[in-house]
Amino acid sequence: MASKKYDDLKARQTATEQAKTDLERQQRQAVAELKKASDELAQLRLDTRRLIDDSTETGRSLRRMQQLNAQLTDSYDKLLKNSDRAMADKSADYNKVAKDLARREAELGELETNLKKSRTDIDKLNADLRTREAKLAELQKALAEKDKAVDDLKASVSNALRGFQGTDLQVKMKDGKVYVSLSEQLLFKSGSTKVDPKGQEALKQLAAVLQQQPDVNVVVEGHTDNVPFSRPAGAMQDNWDLSVLRATEIARLLTVGGVAPARITASGRSQYVPVATNDSPQNKALNRRTEIILTPKLNELLKILDSNSTASGQ
């Protein structure tokens, strides 16, 4: 019985020791777990502290960001408003520029139209100028030919009448015409309408020259002094009659010499176209004269002038 009790106690003791060992192990394990839990708790507290700090900083950053965002938003709104106003101003400026451009383009178009018209007018003026220059050259040529014809005519007449020239016969040029002035002394006796033989010879020589000049018109002008007829008789009542009859007689003699009658005009100027004052016998003798005016026909020249006049009137 005692042995059994011992064995039971021994077994209990062994079990108790085993249980103690297990408890100690469990205790150590619990302590270790507790320490680990404490360390984890400390770390958690540290992490929590850090999170709190980070959260605080993040909050501050967030608030700063929110403040900055508000400022940026405000600035953006202001910029947007300013931009809208600037755009409106720019749009107004653009519209003004567009209107100015349209106006300038219209002005440019008008200027181009005017330029084209001016060029057309200039071309027409240049064409007219060339035509006028050609006409002018033609006219100058005709005038030169006419002047040469007059010069040649004067030379021919002067050469033919060389033996008669002096105080009683003069050949001169005036106004593009050749004047042959014959004194009364060369042609007529006082109050007579019949030409003396010497005068007839001079007229014969002149007629010979005029025969060779078919394009020359002849005007015979009779002139007197201012002494009136003392005894008018027959066909002669005054100096008008005397000047006309003398011119007519000379015209007849020129036709006898071979000059076509259609080329001759006879006229009397009486005392009204003197070459000197009738205040002395010498001056009166100068006024008693017959002038034969020789004019080259200007048909070609007149055609040119007429064509110019017609062109100017168009």
Side-chain angles (χ1 to χ4, degrees):
M1 283 289 291
S3 173
K4 186 178 180 182
K5 289 183 181 181
Y6 175 77
D7 289 335
D8 289 337
L9 288 173
K10 187 69 172 175
R12 290 180 181 175
Q13 180 179 1
T14 300
T16 299
E17 287 177 357
Q18 184 64 39
K20 179 181 179 184
T21 300
D22 290 337
L23 286 172
E24 288 177 354
R25 180 176 56 78
Q26 290 176 359
Q27 182 180 7
R28 286 194 301 272
Q29 185 176 357
V31 170
E33 289 178 359
L34 178 60
K35 184 175 184 307
K36 181 180 179 182
S38 297
D39 292 340
E40 289 177 354
L41 178 60
Q43 185 64 40
L44 284 172
R45 287 176 177 170
L46 180 61
D47 291 341
T48 299
R49 181 70 58 113
R50 288 176 179 172
L51 286 173
I52 292 172
D53 292 340
D54 290 343
S55 177
T56 302
E57 184 62 30
T58 300
R60 285 196 295 267
S61 298
L62 178 60
R63 286 191 295 274
R64 284 197 301 268
M65 290 298 292
Q66 289 173 340
Q67 184 180 8
L68 180 59
N69 182 61
Q71 292 174 352
L72 289 174
T73 301
D74 184 59
S75 298
Y76 174 77
D77 291 339
K78 290 180 179 178
L79 286 173
L80 189 59
K81 291 179 182 178
N82 292 335
S83 176
D84 291 341
R85 187 165 53 251
M87 287 295 291
D89 294 340
K90 291 294 182 183
S91 178
D93 292 341
Y94 172 78
N95 291 334
K96 183 176 181 298
V97 170
K99 289 180 180 178
D100 290 342
L101 181 60
R103 179 175 56 81
R104 291 182 183 275
E105 287 177 346
E107 291 174 353
L108 181 60
E110 185 178 356
L111 287 174
E112 288 178 347
T113 301
N114 292 337
L115 180 60
K116 289 179 181 178
K117 183 178 181 300
S118 296
R119 285 175 177 169
T120 302
D121 292 342
I122 289 172
D123 291 341
K124 184 176 182 301
L125 287 174
N126 285 333
D128 291 344
L129 180 60
R130 286 191 293 271
T131 301
R132 289 177 183 273
E133 286 175 345
K135 291 290 185 182
L136 179 60
E138 188 179 3
L139 181 61
Q140 288 174 336
K141 180 182 177 182
L143 285 172
E145 291 174 352
K146 175 255 181 185
D147 290 341
K148 184 178 184 302
V150 173
D151 288 338
D152 292 345
L153 177 62
K154 179 179 180 294
S156 298
V157 171
S158 296
N159 185 58
L161 301 177
R162 184 183 299 112
F164 301 94
Q165 291 188 56
T167 57
D168 292 334
L169 189 151
Q170 296 179 352
V171 180
K172 58 186 177 180
M173 285 180 59
K174 184 172 72 173
D175 299 328
K177 303 174 184 178
V178 176
Y179 284 72
V180 181
S181 182
L182 303 101
S183 70
E184 179 191 55
Q185 184 176 348
L186 176 64
L187 297 175
F188 304 100
K189 290 182 173 61
S190 179
S192 173
T193 61
K194 298 300 179 182
V195 178
D196 289 344
K198 187 177 181 182
Q200 290 182 23
E201 182 62 26
L203 294 174
K204 182 179 178 181
Q205 296 292 334
L206 179 59
V209 173
L210 293 177
Q211 276 187 298
Q212 305 301 317
Q213 303 283 346
D215 292 329
V216 174
N217 290 323
V218 182
V219 175
V220 182
E221 287 187 350
H223 297 267
T224 68
D225 58 21
N226 65 344
V227 178
F229 275 37
S230 58
R231 288 181 293 178
M236 286 194 297
Q237 297 296 312
D238 53 24
N239 285 327
W240 277 116
D241 292 334
L242 178 61
S243 65
V244 171
L245 290 173
R246 283 181 170 178
T248 303
E249 179 65 15
I250 292 173
R252 288 196 185 97
L253 290 174
L254 290 175
T255 60
V256 170
V259 181
R263 296 169 55 192
I264 303 175
T265 300
S267 64
R269 306 299 297 273
S270 187
Q271 65 198 39
Y272 301 108
V273 189
V275 292
T277 56
N278 289 290
D279 55 2
S280 68
Q282 294 81 5
N283 285 346
K284 289 180 180 180
L286 292 175
N287 290 329
R288 295 192 300 273
R289 71 199 188 279
T290 299
E291 290 187 343
I292 302 175
I293 305 168
L294 309 177
T295 307
K297 292 180 181 179
L298 305 178
N299 294 343
E300 195 64 32
L301 187 60
L302 291 174
K303 286 180 183 178
I304 297 172
L305 291 174
D306 184 60
S307 65
N308 285 343
S309 176
T310 303
S312 298
Q314 290 177 348

